[in-house]
Amino acid sequence: MNAMMLSDYDVFLFHEGSLQQAYQFMGSHVRNDSRGTYTEFCVWAPNARSVSLAGSFNDWNSAGYELQKWNREGLWAVRVDGDLTGETYKYEITTLSGERKLKADPYGFASEKRPQTASIVYDLEGFKWSDEEWLEKRSGSSIYDKPMFIYEVHAGTWKKKDGKFLSYTELARELIPHVKEHGFTHVELLPVTEHPFDRSWGYQSTGYYAPTSRYGEPHDLMNFINECHRNDIGVILDWVPGHFCKDAHGLYQFDGSFAYEYEEERDRENYTWGTANFDLGKGEVRSFLISNARYWMEVYHIDGFRIDAVANIIYWANQGEQSPNEGAIGFLKKLNQAVFDYDSSILMIAEDSTDWPQVTSPVHYGGLGFNYKWNMGWMNDVLDYMETPPAKRRDVHSLMTFSLLYAFSENYVLPLSHDEVVHGKKSLLDKMPGDYWQKFAQYRLLLGFMCAHPGKKLLFMGSELAPFSEWKDLEEIDWHLMNYDFHLKFNSYFKELVHLYKGAEALYELDHQSRGFEWIDVNNSDQQIFSFIRRGKKENDHLVVICNFSPIVYHGYKVGVPHADFYREILNSDAGKYGGSDQVNPAPLPVCHETYHGKAGSVVMTIPPYGTVYLKPEYGRGE
């Protein structure tokens, strides 16, 4: 990262809310020029009476290390002779009321390991990237017509070593082969910005520019991302620009005033999470956050962001009525424009549970400017359906079909995330009703249906092992399950399913276009069977998908299909090798060329209990 000296124009942009690289002069930087080597510190504290520097280099005695106020808007700076790389520091701020606060650097590139809270002067230069091929491939292609299956990971509990966290280096060595083996295209890391409390999972941050020191140094995280890219794996960061934690060393009442947060209590206090909401209409806050996004892209080569709690950003918090927060909405638009101006191939994924329109439409078309949105409606409806006793599913049939009424109104990711397997919600496997065998069968069915439904995919770590226990956020995932037959067979099914998904253009090329999906039979609520077609871009490239959400086997079942000579079963979740009852269709299914279900022909087949079947058309003589 090149050092950039502060100009009057930079200062204007910073306060106006349009500076995208504030990290190049804010925070601490070692400089070399005609005056020699020195370390420069710059901080924004608009209502401070005075600001001094305390650190390991001056025995935490700030006398003689006063920062000078540059302008009336509250920028303060000081130069200290010498290279202070590796030294710890805080800003000692005297408020207008005379109170003294010790604050970590909002722009600090590294932090002490908890429970210590000081910032560290860190040189981000020096890491040798070798991911040019990945970056070139990413910039030269569009994700919209590509497969995307995201593996959501909490770095602290994916795996542990002697009860301790794996380092970024160890994660690179162990997580990446696991991700490749299972076919995931991306890793999404729950927030890795510095945070004081392990069980906040990173969602309550104090250091937006500092990768958490729990797992190592910034260069170690760079290495993890670099190795992901060298193995054709994208890296998405969970990012929280809506609110921040209120620990004393962090952003809250930074200079004694509400600099980063709203002044009004009803707007500021996020009582649900015990945090403070960013004032997203304030210029300096916008520059802080938009620069932070640019920082992670430019310095760490990340491939995208999952923006947390967009509903809390769009609407004013803690008010009885849902009224739009125009300042925050303006921030989201400005953020997305800035990101895509920098790199149009970046993923900007909104975790949004509202019905706000055009979330994934460009700003110049009146949208918020994201390119993806979590489909929370699909997730809630499908899990509600799956948790309904099979005998009663006919009464809630529309839960499985409703999503197709709006599936192409936005660009969606289908999420089965950490939020669905924690806090007493049970694991995905344990949500399934019935006995041991039935739970596994329905879990295979669920994931088979998910892979065939329009939209990109996301699954939380551990779910590929089919755990009975929900996520235990102080322990590693249940690796011991691979010693048990049903879990091992499920894992084999999952790997084959994901690899099939990635190899079948019909399952992803037209994810966001209505011509990529067509119902065959949408109304069979009595038998709880759904059948539909997924289409690719090429003529005749399609798959027929049949999902049976009942425990009944149907022999001689007739399904309408598009024109072909035969259909071959390429996936059956009930296959014996996966732990199923082996109600499969081993031979090619000849097409009867008479109209059925409104289609040009039909096949007669076996429908497995609690099963997903994918059929591929063949032309010519079947074997």
Side-chain angles (χ1 to χ4, degrees), residues 24-44:
Q24 292 194 342
F25 69 85
M26 300 294 288
S28 61
H29 297 271
V30 177
R31 313 283 195 195
N32 290 282
D33 58 26
S34 59
R35 291 164 290 188
T37 300
Y38 56 91
T39 305
E40 192 171 63
F41 297 83
C42 186
V43 66
W44 177 62

Side-chain angles (χ1 to χ4, degrees), residues 351-420:
E351 188 249 341
D352 176 30
S353 57
T354 74
D355 60 358
W356 189 269
Q358 295 185 278
V359 172
T360 58
S361 292
V363 173
H364 58 270
Y365 288 144
L368 288 185
F370 293 93
N371 53 10
Y372 276 97
K373 170 180 174 173
W374 274 19
N375 194 336
M376 309 292 280
W378 174 89
M379 176 273 298
N380 284 312
D381 287 348
V382 167
L383 292 183
D384 284 349
Y385 182 89
M386 296 304 301
E387 292 185 86
T388 301
K392 296 183 179 181
R393 283 177 178 165
R394 61 174 55 88
D395 300 325
V396 293
H397 187 79
S398 63
L399 288 175
M400 297 297 277
T401 62
F402 182 65
S403 61
L404 270 304
L405 296 178
Y406 62 85
F408 310 106
S409 63
E410 303 276 7
N411 301 327
Y412 282 115
V413 173
L414 309 182
L416 293 175
S417 73
H418 69 280
D419 281 328
E420 311 320 315

Side-chain angles (χ1 to χ4, degrees), residues 25-295:
F25 69 85
M26 300 294 288
S28 61
H29 297 271
V30 177
R31 313 283 195 195
N32 290 282
D33 58 26
S34 59
R35 291 164 290 188
T37 300
Y38 56 91
T39 305
E40 192 171 63
F41 297 83
C42 186
V43 66
W44 177 62
N47 290 294
R49 178 182 294 177
S50 65
V51 181
S52 300
L53 192 66
S56 54
F57 51 88
N58 61 8
D59 294 325
W60 295 93
N61 182 352
S62 66
Y65 289 82
E66 293 81 11
L67 280 71
Q68 300 301 309
K69 191 173 184 178
W70 279 9
N71 60 12
R72 63 182 181 181
E73 288 83 13
L75 284 174
W76 301 75
V78 68
R79 290 174 176 171
V80 179
D81 289 339
D83 182 343
L84 299 185
T85 298
E87 301 285 355
T88 57
Y89 69 98
K90 284 186 178 181
Y91 296 113
E92 185 177 291
I93 296 173
T94 303
T95 71
L96 292 177
S97 66
E99 180 185 3
R100 299 175 73 190
K101 293 174 174 280
L102 276 177
K103 290 286 191 176
D105 190 342
Y107 288 85
F109 296 150
S111 298
E112 286 186 296
K113 191 173 181 179
R114 69 191 193 324
Q116 305 304 314
T117 58
S119 300
I120 301 173
V121 179
Y122 193 89
D123 182 7
L124 291 172
E125 301 287 354
F127 181 78
K128 294 182 179 180
W129 291 92
S130 56
D131 62 348
E132 297 84 2
E133 184 176 344
W134 165 268
L135 295 177
E136 182 178 354
K137 182 175 71 173
R138 188 189 75 189
S139 65
S141 63
S142 168
I143 193 63
Y144 301 113
D145 60 357
K146 299 293 188 297
M148 184 163 72
F149 207 129
I150 301 167
Y151 190 51
E152 187 188 35
V153 174
H154 178 248
T157 54
W158 180 74
K159 184 180 285 187
K160 294 199 172 185
K161 184 177 182 181
D162 300 325
K164 298 180 180 179
F165 298 138
L166 294 187
S167 66
Y168 293 120
T169 302
E170 290 167 326
L171 284 166
R173 188 165 56 243
E174 299 193 36
L175 175 60
I176 290 172
H178 182 82
V179 170
K180 287 191 69 175
E181 179 185 358
H182 287 78
F184 294 105
T185 61
H186 294 73
V187 169
E188 179 183 312
L189 298 174
L190 269 62
V192 292
T193 49
E194 193 59 86
H195 53 283
F197 184 46
D198 290 353
R199 300 194 75 178
S200 77
W201 314 331
Y203 288 98
Q204 297 187 13
S205 180
T206 51
Y208 276 74
Y209 287 81
T212 177
S213 55
R214 288 167 175 80
Y215 317 126
E217 296 186 3
H219 282 168
D220 299 330
L221 177 57
M222 293 179 190
N223 176 68
F224 171 80
I225 296 169
N226 188 63
E227 290 305 306
C228 282
H229 288 172
R230 282 164 47 86
N231 284 276
D232 289 323
I233 300 166
V235 181
I236 300 167
L237 295 186
D238 223 334
W239 192 55
V240 190
H243 61 106
F244 56 90
C245 73
K246 296 162 66 174
D247 288 58
H249 66 284
L251 298 176
Y252 189 67
Q253 291 186 301
F254 185 74
D255 59 0
S257 69
F258 300 114
Y260 285 88
E261 58 272 47
Y262 293 106
E263 290 191 17
E264 294 291 331
E265 180 180 350
R266 67 173 187 170
D267 303 327
R268 178 181 67 248
E269 297 301 320
N270 194 314
Y271 298 109
T272 300
W273 297 308
T275 54
N277 293 312
F278 277 112
D279 183 347
L280 296 173
K282 187 177 291 184
E284 294 86 355
V285 173
R286 288 185 172 191
S287 290
F288 173 77
L289 290 169
I290 291 173
S291 292
N292 189 239
R294 174 71 174 264
Y295 167 80

